[in-house]
Amino acid sequence: MTDEPRETWPGQPFPLGASYDGLGTNFSVFSQVAESVTLCLIAEDGTEERVPLTEVDAHCWHEYVPGVGPGQRYGYRVEGPWDPANGLRCNSRKLLLDPYAKAVTGEVEWGQEVFGYDFDDPDQRNDLDSAGKVPVGVVHSPYFNWGDDRLLNTPLHETVIYETHVKGLTMTHPDVPERERGTYQGLAHPAVIDHLLDLGITAIELMPVHQFIHDGHLADKGLRNYWGYNTIGFFAPHADYSASGTTGEQVQEFKGMVRAMHEAGIEVILDVVYNHTAEGNHMGPTLSFRGLDNQAYYRLVPDDRRHYFDTTGTGNSLNMAHPYSLQLIMDSLRYWVTECHVDGFRFDLASTLARQFYEVDRLSAFFDLVHQDPIVSQVKLIAEPWDVGEGGYQVGNFPPVWSEWNGQFRDTIRDHWRGEPHTVPELASRLTGSADLYSDETRSPVASINFVTAHDGFTLRDLVSYNEKHNDANGEDGKDGESHNRSWNCGAEGETDDPEVLALRARQQRNLLATLLLSQGVPMLLGGDELGRTQGGNNNAYCQDNEISWFDWDEVDEDLLEFTRRCIGIRREHPVLRRRRWFFGQEIRGNVDIEWYKPDGAAMEDHDWEGAPRTIGLYMDGRGIRSRDTRGRPIIDDSFLLLISAEPDPIDWQLPEMDGAWVVELDTALPAGVADEVRTVTDDIELVPRSTVLLRFRPADEDGADER
């Protein structure tokens, strides 16, 4: 530690964080309970220069330090009350990370030093110094050449989301230079972007890139927090994903990745974890928020303020009733949009954010702030609409401007294709946008983010290969992960050489993908499903930062990849498959926009829905679209008949009597979904067991021949 005094100026309380202006840096941090706050400027050898923050406005402690610029490491020490029973946990012996740090370097070295209590006597305060054992903030340069970059604002009904992981997607890609693998730079590599473009993806949804830590219990087992749902820095791109450095370079590299994606026409959506932090429960470490102002940042149990109110299953929940917690979240969201140009957010366990008090409240302060914010309200907002607390399952209950991960879509589609009875009525709802969940005067089909698989669960290939989870590598005796997966192994558990089982699995993957990509709503594809990616039956690979989770680019299912391309291409080319408005079953321009059919060619009546077989036909009239295009003109498209059969035996479908013929656009009985030559049918078509066929109607007077 140096004793040489440093010149400081009063500075400003806002913005919070470390703000470099070209000559020096303004430091500001919030604490309502602090008695004093000291800024620690950390040299490369770990020595600290301590600068008291003497200015306080609105509970924000601040000082401007001339000559301090990008690359400077820093943290805070807070002197204040230590009274855990009343929710107070200040301890100046703990070096604290700035909640507003735009860049973070270093990892937690797990030991007694990073905890505020004594391992042998948890009621006793521990005064070991945590410096050198915890991550610290880094002053970064805010300057970046964005050129003419802007938010893409791709309409939701034209959006196809690809959920992926920075490291997993790129770690083994043969065309990405080795030093760039697993990084933002690798994600921006032309080979990766070309794959996404070739597939037809319009938006990538990145699993958490906010700075996170690796849990101590995982480190003890030689594992790492791969998924990243353990945030400690809500403004900082995770440093481990940087190829260029961790002292501010990660910020520039992240921005460069976003710019490259935008140049390719691909939006960037961040999976964000504002519901809790990495500090865990009352037995967790003191890294940042806990030591700054425990009561302000965290929800505490009202009658036992030693403990945390936990609706996340992680040990803590952020205090959504406190104005500075809400400000932290809103400041973070605005930062990622305005300074990093991201196009939207997927909110992990979003119901927790709506718990201003106890219940999930559609009128909570968080929703009010989001809806009123001129920046945040204009980007894509996607909720994971549940948490683990009472009343936490809120599918369909989020307010306007929000879309939601539709877990009921996932469950219904899985149940149908594994052969569960009586799924057809609900299947019909899911195919048409889940109007039973989202149909009111303020929402439309794009409120539903449709998915069959996601990071949390089986991959597509594993969904058709395993009845049971196989999570031995996680070291939790198989107790972790979901046990009821609605999966079906098609006759053999795991790897097999049985050609019949393999053929059925391949067809089932195509069925699931076709149902996902041809349904109304916004489809989300789990990254790697198009390649046939497997995790060996592990449905909870949160700690597997290795080949279990990484994409295997040497083992690509080329037929499945081509099939996925075709499904997305058909969706892109035909607006009847991605409507902005609900079907009404009414005449529009003289045509009924939607109709349901039975295998005998007759339209379904009300009584047909009860006890219906596991097969259904959906007719969508391309002349019955209520919406207009961007120039106000009527939208006229081809008409389609989607035939879906989860029956174990072949089904002979009588096609509706219409003046023309039907062209087979997609058939999941075929490896790539389509034959080499155009196939036209007029009267009937046989569906092989467990298959999907998409037919396009060609009127009798239509000129010209179809081409592939």
Side-chain angles (χ1 to χ4, degrees):
M1 187 188 320
T2 63
D3 297 321
E4 184 180 349
R6 178 186 283 268
E7 178 187 10
T8 63
W9 303 348
Q12 300 294 328
F14 299 103
L16 289 159
S19 304
Y20 174 66
D21 62 6
L23 298 175
T25 301
N26 188 84
F27 294 90
S28 181
V29 65
F30 163 78
S31 178
Q32 195 169 338
V33 300
E35 297 165 0
S36 68
V37 177
T38 300
L39 168 68
C40 302
L41 302 175
I42 304 166
E44 289 189 15
D45 63 1
T47 57
E48 297 176 24
E49 179 184 355
R50 296 184 178 178
V51 181
L53 302 186
T54 59
E55 300 288 329
V56 189
D57 293 282
H59 306 300
C60 295
W61 301 72
H62 57 93
E63 208 84 16
Y64 181 93
V65 188
V68 168
Q72 175 65 62
R73 297 172 174 86
Y74 73 100
Y76 292 106
R77 295 184 183 272
V78 173
E79 194 68 56
W82 169 265
D83 185 4
N86 289 303
L88 300 167
R89 297 180 178 270
C90 297
N91 185 343
S92 62
R93 299 290 290 171
K94 308 302 173 186
L95 184 66
L96 304 176
L97 178 68
D98 179 5
Y100 278 72
K102 306 302 191 301
V104 176
T105 190
E107 296 186 359
V108 177
E109 294 183 25
W110 293 101
Q112 178 69 84
E113 296 89 345
V114 303
F115 293 84
Y117 61 89
D118 191 288
F119 286 170
D120 297 324
D121 186 359
D123 292 328
Q124 291 297 313
R125 168 169 155 157
N126 159 38
D127 284 333
L128 293 175
D129 200 304
S130 66
K133 306 290 184 179
V134 292
V136 296
V138 182
V139 178
H140 89 295
S141 171
Y143 308 112
F144 183 80
N145 182 12
W146 282 106
D148 60 354
D149 185 80
R150 57 181 177 80
L151 300 185
L152 297 179
N153 291 317
T154 305
L156 272 167
H157 67 284
E158 297 177 3
T159 296
V160 179
I161 299 173
Y162 189 84
E163 189 201 28
T164 191
H165 188 284
V166 172
K167 193 171 188 179
L169 176 61
T170 62
M171 198 62 190
T172 70
H173 199 298
D175 297 329
V176 175
E178 191 168 344
R179 68 174 299 274
E180 297 179 10
R181 294 176 185 175
T183 70
Y184 307 118
Q185 202 167 324
L187 194 62
H189 192 277
V192 175
I193 291 178
D194 286 348
H195 173 74
L196 298 173
L197 290 176
D198 187 50
L199 199 54
I201 300 301
T202 71
I204 54 169
E205 182 177 300
L206 295 177
M207 292 178 67
V209 298
H210 289 179
Q211 186 72 34
F212 61 87
I213 67 168
H214 299 283
D215 317 58
H217 75 277
L218 294 179
D220 291 341
K221 295 188 288 187
L223 300 171
R224 291 165 59 86
N225 190 317
Y226 173 69
W227 284 355
Y229 292 96
N230 208 24
T231 308
I232 197 61
F234 293 108
F235 294 78
H238 189 61
D240 279 355
Y241 299 156
S242 172
S244 50
T246 64
T247 54
E249 298 89 350
Q250 64 266 49
V251 182
Q252 309 292 356
E253 189 175 323
F254 179 87
K255 292 177 178 179
M257 178 273 294
V258 174
R259 186 178 61 191
M261 288 291 171
H262 284 179
E263 288 173 352
I266 300 172
E267 294 186 307
V268 178
I269 299 171
L270 302 187
D271 189 342
V272 290
V273 193
Y274 292 111
N275 52 73
H276 73 278
T277 79
E279 291 185 303
N281 63 16
H282 64 288
M283 302 298 285
T286 298
L287 304 174
S288 179
F289 309 88
R290 173 175 284 142
L292 284 164
D293 198 328
N294 189 59
Q295 302 179 113
Y297 283 117
Y298 294 119
R299 289 193 63 184
L300 307 178
V301 177
D303 56 355
D304 183 8
R305 297 178 67 80
R306 180 185 299 273
H307 295 99
Y308 295 82
F309 190 87
D310 180 18
T311 56
T312 65
T314 62
N316 66 58
S317 305
L318 280 185
N319 185 3
M320 303 306 294
H322 195 283
Y324 274 92
S325 282
L326 286 169
Q327 181 181 335
L328 172 81
I329 295 171
M330 296 307 299
D331 285 349
S332 171
L333 291 169
R334 282 190 291 268
Y335 171 79
W336 288 102
V337 176
T338 59
E339 298 298 321
C340 299
H341 290 207
V342 304
D343 302 270
F345 305 94
R346 179 266 188 187
F347 293 80
D348 180 68
L349 300 182
S351 294
T352 290
L353 300 176
R355 292 182 182 271
Q356 186 168 351
F357 298 104
Y358 296 98
E359 74 286 349
V360 179
D361 186 359
R362 293 184 64 171
L363 303 176
S364 73
F366 173 69
F367 286 144
D368 286 344
L369 289 171
V370 167
H371 293 182
Q372 295 168 14
D373 192 280
I375 294 170
V376 179
S377 65
Q378 301 304 302
V379 301
K380 290 181 170 63
L381 302 171
I382 302 170
E384 182 187 32
W386 50 81
D387 63 22
V388 300
E390 184 178 354
Y393 195 70
Q394 294 288 318
V395 176
N397 287 334
F398 277 67
V401 314
W402 287 80
S403 299
E404 304 173 23
W405 270 26
N406 189 348
Q408 291 194 29
F409 181 97
R410 170 199 61 201
D411 294 348
T412 300
I413 304 310
R414 289 186 179 193
D415 278 347
H416 179 75
W417 284 114
R418 69 191 180 114
E420 289 293 296
H422 314 303
T423 58
V424 163
E426 189 167 359
L427 174 67
S429 182
R430 304 296 157 248
L431 289 171
T432 53
S434 295
D436 57 326
L437 299 176
Y438 305 110
S439 181
D440 64 27
E441 70 278 4
T442 62
R443 309 188 81 181
S444 65
V446 296
S448 179
I449 305 295
N450 299 332
F451 67 104
V452 175
T453 52
H455 69 271
D456 191 2
F458 283 138
T459 67
L460 183 66
R461 178 174 164 184
D462 289 355
L463 187 68
V464 301
S465 303
Y466 296 91
N467 285 350
E468 308 295 334
K469 61 186 180 183
H470 296 265
N471 297 354
D472 294 342
N474 296 355
E476 299 178 44
D477 298 323
K479 297 176 182 177
D480 62 304
E482 178 60 58
S483 297
H484 183 50
N485 294 286
R486 293 180 161 90
S487 60
W488 178 42
N489 64 20
C490 297
E493 187 73 1
E495 295 297 320
T496 180
D497 295 326
D498 189 319
E500 291 187 6
V501 171
L502 293 174
L504 178 55
R505 287 177 178 178
R507 191 161 70 253
Q508 286 286 80
Q509 289 179 81
R510 295 192 290 270
N511 285 328
L512 290 159
L513 282 172
T515 312
L516 168 67
L517 294 167
L518 300 178
S519 292
Q520 306 296 325
V522 182
M524 184 186 77
L525 180 69
L526 172 62
D529 277 356
E530 77 282 11
L531 309 175
R533 183 172 75 93
T534 178
Q535 294 181 163
N538 192 321
N539 74 347
N540 190 36
Y542 77 101
C543 57
Q544 300 300 327
D545 187 5
N546 50 48
E547 289 81 359
I548 291 175
S549 292
W550 301 341
F551 290 27
D552 186 351
W553 290 96
D554 292 328
E555 294 290 334
V556 174
D557 186 333
E558 295 292 348
D559 284 336
L560 187 61
L561 178 58
E562 180 56 35
F563 178 86
T564 310
R565 287 194 194 105
R566 181 159 185 79
C567 286
I568 295 175
I570 293 171
R571 180 184 184 89
R572 180 178 60 248
E573 293 163 9
H574 294 284
V576 74
L577 300 173
R578 45 176 176 83
R579 297 164 56 103
R580 291 196 299 118
R581 300 286 183 249
W582 301 107
F583 289 107
F584 275 86
Q586 301 168 353
E587 282 199 8
I588 300 171
R589 306 184 191 116
N591 303 283
V592 177
D593 61 350
I594 185 175
E595 202 152 9
W596 301 96
Y597 285 96
K598 299 182 292 185
D600 63 4
M604 291 188 70
E605 305 288 344
D606 288 347
H607 62 85
D608 292 321
W609 291 97
E610 296 187 15
R614 288 169 288 204
T615 186
I616 195 169
L618 167 59
Y619 174 73
M620 295 165 283
D621 198 309
R623 298 162 296 175
I625 302 173
R626 290 195 306 141
S627 305
R628 299 177 296 165
D629 68 12
T630 56
R631 301 290 179 91
R633 298 167 298 189
I635 298 174
I636 306 296
D637 193 14
D638 294 318
S639 299
F640 288 87
L641 181 64
L642 179 64
L643 306 178
I644 292 177
S645 176
E647 293 289 343
D649 300 310
I651 289 196
D652 188 39
W653 265 89
Q654 298 296 315
L655 301 177
E657 293 186 9
M658 302 176 71
D659 187 16
W662 297 90
V663 179
V664 179
E665 291 288 326
L666 197 74
D667 186 350
T668 62
L670 303 172
V674 64
D676 293 334
E677 297 182 354
V678 175
R679 181 185 171 197
T680 303
V681 292
T682 54
D683 300 320
D684 66 308
I685 185 172
E686 184 181 78
L687 268 65
V688 305
R690 300 186 175 92
S691 65
T692 303
V693 173
L694 180 68
L695 302 165
R696 179 174 58 84
F697 182 64
R698 188 174 68 191
D701 58 356
E702 183 177 288
D703 296 327
D706 290 279
E707 298 180 358
R708 288 285 175 233

